[in-house]
């Protein structure tokens, strides 16, 4: 599975980067490709490339604030969760994304 996403918390510091790291570790440990940009007080860092977005199976937005650039994901399955969920259970979240995509593929 290929995942792109955004991590953003209210301060744009701690939870943003913790969420990003936990997502990267969980997805990679389960054999998935993942790219996460961060948004916050420091602005947008490591912005997603359009080719990554185009290749993505799902978009994951882990945010506690309004994020910029959602229009880039038009036509993609977008899942939005709070950063606290990612920090607490990143592997379980990735597994839920797997289930969701498998169900969607079976239904086609």
């Amino acid at each position: 599975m290929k995942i792109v996403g955004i991590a953003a918390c209210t301060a744009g510091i701690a939870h943003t980067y913790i969420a990003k790291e936990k997502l990267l570790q969980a997805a990679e440990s389960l054999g998935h490709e993942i790219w996460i940009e961060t948004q916050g007080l420091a602005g947008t860092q490591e912005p997603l490339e359009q080719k990554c977005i185009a290749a993505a199976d799902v978009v994951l937005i882990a945010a506690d604030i309004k994020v910029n650039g959602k229009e880039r994901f038009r036509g993609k399955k977008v899942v939005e969760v709070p950063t606290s969920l990612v920090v607490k259970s990143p592997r379980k979240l990735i597994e839920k994304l797997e289930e969701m995509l498998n169900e969607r593929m079976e239904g086609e």
Side-chain angles (χ1 to χ4, degrees):
M1 178 168 63
K2 293 182 181 182
I3 306 164
V4 295
I6 298 172
C9 70
T10 41
I13 304 169
H15 280 104
T16 299
Y17 298 104
I18 293 168
K20 178 181 178 176
E21 277 308 307
K22 289 199 176 254
L23 284 171
L24 293 174
Q25 291 170 0
E28 290 170 2
S29 74
L30 291 166
H32 303 298
E33 293 180 49
I34 186 168
W35 299 272
I36 301 290
E37 87 179 22
T38 59
Q39 293 185 13
L41 293 177
T44 299
Q45 295 184 347
E46 298 185 53
L48 296 169
E49 294 181 22
Q50 190 55 45
K51 67 180 181 181
C52 293
I53 296 169
D57 298 304
V58 66
V59 177
L60 178 60
I61 299 177
D64 303 320
I65 58 171
K66 182 178 180 284
V67 296
N68 298 317
K70 283 187 183 179
E71 68 280 352
R72 299 174 287 173
F73 309 128
R74 215 170 270 126
K76 295 285 182 184
K77 176 64 180 164
V78 178
V79 176
E80 296 190 51
V81 298
T83 57
S84 60
L85 178 72
V86 174
V87 171
K88 290 177 190 168
S89 305
R91 187 177 179 97
K92 187 172 236 162
L93 176 60
I94 299 297
E95 289 170 348
K96 282 286 188 196
L97 292 177
E98 290 174 335
E99 288 175 26
M100 181 193 69
L101 283 179
N102 288 335
E103 289 171 5
R104 189 169 153 206
M105 291 172 70
E106 289 170 6
E108 290 179 355

